[in-house]
Amino acid sequence: MKETTIAAIASGISIGGVGIIRISGPQSYAIALEICQKESLVARHATFTQFYNGADEVMDEGIAIYFKGPNSFTGEDSVELQGHGGLVVLNCVLKRVYELGAEPAKAGEFTERAFLNGKLDLVQAEAIHDLIMSQSEAQAKAAMNSLSGQFSTKTSTISEALIHLRVYVEASIDFSEEDIDFISDGNVMARLNAVEADILNLLQNANQGKLLTDGLTVVLAGKPNAGKSSILNALSGEESAIVTDIAGTTRDTLKESIIIHGLPLHIIDTAGLRETNDVIEQEGIRRTREAMKKADLILWIHDDQDQSAEKDALLESLNAPILHIRNKIDLTGNEVGRVEDTIMLSAKRNDGIELLKDAIVEAVQFQPSQGMFSARERHLVALRESLEHLDVAKKLLNEGHSIDLVAEEIRLAQDDIGLITGRFTTDELLGEIFSSFCIGK
C-alpha cells in the first residue's frame, strides 16, 4: 500500500445537491476525525457531522463514511465526506484536508491504487473510465460487463489453458531421455488449435467491444455540391453544417458525434475534392485527404444528376470500406434503394437515410449483443500477438524443431494475454491508462 494519503473532489466540478470528497491512505481516518471533531467513526456507517476548519468554525455539515482497508475501493483506509455540492464549500473542506496532511490526487490515482492493491485488474480499471464516459446505454452495459469481470474471466481461462499446455510441453523436456513421448501423439497440436480458436473468438468479440468503446470514424467525401453536408445534417438530425447550392461551401473538416443503432459515430464532413486555385480551398482538400487516410469508413457522395465517371486515386490505396451514396434522387426521379455498396437516397427529403444507417452498421459488421464488453486497441494488439506466437509454435512443432522453442513461444503467448489484465505490465502503460481518468476517480 502507498504511504501517502491523497484526496480530491469525487463528485465532479459542477454544482449539485451533494458533493463528495474522497480521501485514501494511512492518514485518512485521522484527518476525518480532526475535520469532524469526533473521537471515532464506525467503519462502514454513515455518521452525520459538521466539518470544521482550523479555527474550529463550521464550514459545512453532512455525512462521513469510514472504510477500513482492505475493505474499501482502493484497498486502503478511506473516508468519504459528503456535504453540499457548492464548489466554494467543497474547496474549503478540501483545503482543510490538505492542511492536515493529504496530497492532491492525480488523475485516476484512486483507481490506480485499487489496481495496485489487487481490488481490480487492469481491464476492470479501464472499464470504470469507459462507464463514466459512456454516451449510450449500449456503451454503459458493455463497460459494466467488463467491470463485472466478463472480459477478465475469458482472458484468465485462456491464460490457464496456456499454463497447462506449457506444463505439459515442458514435462517432455524433463523426460526427453526416457521412453515417454509427450509430443508425437498429436495432443499438443490439438491443444494449440483449441487455444488458438478461443483467442480468435475473444478477438472477434473484443473487436466489437472496441467499436462500441471508441466509436467509428466516418468520413464524407466526394465532389463539391454533392450533398455531403446535407447527409451530415440528416444523419445527426441537426443543422450542423451550412448547406447552399454554391459549390465549395465546406472548406474545412466539420465533426459531429452521433449514435446509430447503439454504435457511436464520429462523422467528418469534408471539403469537396476538385482542382482549384483557391488557397483556402486547397488546404481544405488537403485536410480531406488526410481525414480519408484515418477513416474507419468512407461515404463517397455522388450527385445523382452527375453521371460522369468519378474516381479518386486515393480511394484505391485505402484499406477502409467504402459506401457509395448517390444523393439528390429527388431531382432525378430515381427510387430509394441499395445495390451492393451503392445507396440511392435524398438527404433533402430524408428519404433513404435509415437505409444508409443500416448500411453503415453492416459495413463494419457491428453486431451488438447482451454479452458485449468494452475493449481497447491495446487488448486487440495483445490478442493478435499471442496468436502470432501460437502460429510460430505450431510451425516449429510441424517442422520437428526443438520442443524448447515451442515452449518458449507458448510462454510468450501467455505473457501477451497477461498484458490485458495487468498480470504483466509496465509503469509506462499504467501512466498512459490512468492519466486519461478524471480527478477524484
Side-chain angles (χ1 to χ4, degrees), residues 278-297:
D278 187 308
V279 176
I280 297 176
E281 193 173 353
Q282 285 176 349
E283 175 60 18
I285 291 171
R286 186 194 68 78
R287 295 186 183 188
T288 295
R289 296 186 182 280
E290 287 301 312
M292 290 172 67
K293 292 176 184 177
K294 299 175 183 178
D296 297 311
L297 175 67

Side-chain angles (χ1 to χ4, degrees), residues 28-168:
S28 57
Y29 182 63
I31 290 172
L33 292 183
E34 182 70 25
I35 285 182
C36 299
Q37 295 191 0
K38 298 284 186 183
E39 293 185 359
S40 65
L41 291 170
V42 180
R44 308 182 75 82
H45 280 68
T47 302
F48 179 76
T49 181
Q50 282 77 41
F51 305 137
Y52 294 86
N53 63 18
D56 292 335
E57 299 169 336
V58 176
M59 297 178 288
D60 193 13
E61 63 180 17
I63 292 172
I65 306 177
Y66 166 50
F67 301 92
K68 183 173 178 55
N71 298 316
S72 68
F73 173 72
T74 60
E76 305 171 328
D77 283 355
S78 301
V79 174
E80 285 190 1
L81 303 178
Q82 302 181 8
H84 294 94
L87 291 179
V88 172
V89 67
L90 278 173
N91 281 311
C92 286
V93 176
L94 185 61
K95 179 183 177 182
R96 181 59 179 155
V97 172
Y98 293 153
E99 289 172 354
L100 292 170
E103 298 178 1
K106 298 189 292 289
E109 191 170 2
F110 291 100
T111 308
E112 182 179 15
R113 290 190 177 202
F115 165 71
L116 294 173
N117 292 327
K119 305 297 288 186
L120 301 166
D121 65 32
L122 205 50
V123 168
Q124 291 172 307
E126 290 169 314
I128 290 174
H129 177 268
D130 296 338
L131 186 61
I132 293 170
M133 302 302 291
S134 295
Q135 296 178 310
S136 70
E137 185 177 350
Q139 284 180 311
K141 286 182 178 178
M144 196 62 223
N145 284 340
S146 281
L147 181 56
S148 64
Q150 190 174 118
F151 190 9
S152 303
T153 299
K154 292 178 186 295
T155 58
S156 295
T157 299
I158 290 172
S159 184
E160 288 297 318
L162 288 170
I163 289 172
H164 292 315
L165 183 53
R166 277 184 63 195
V167 170
Y168 186 86

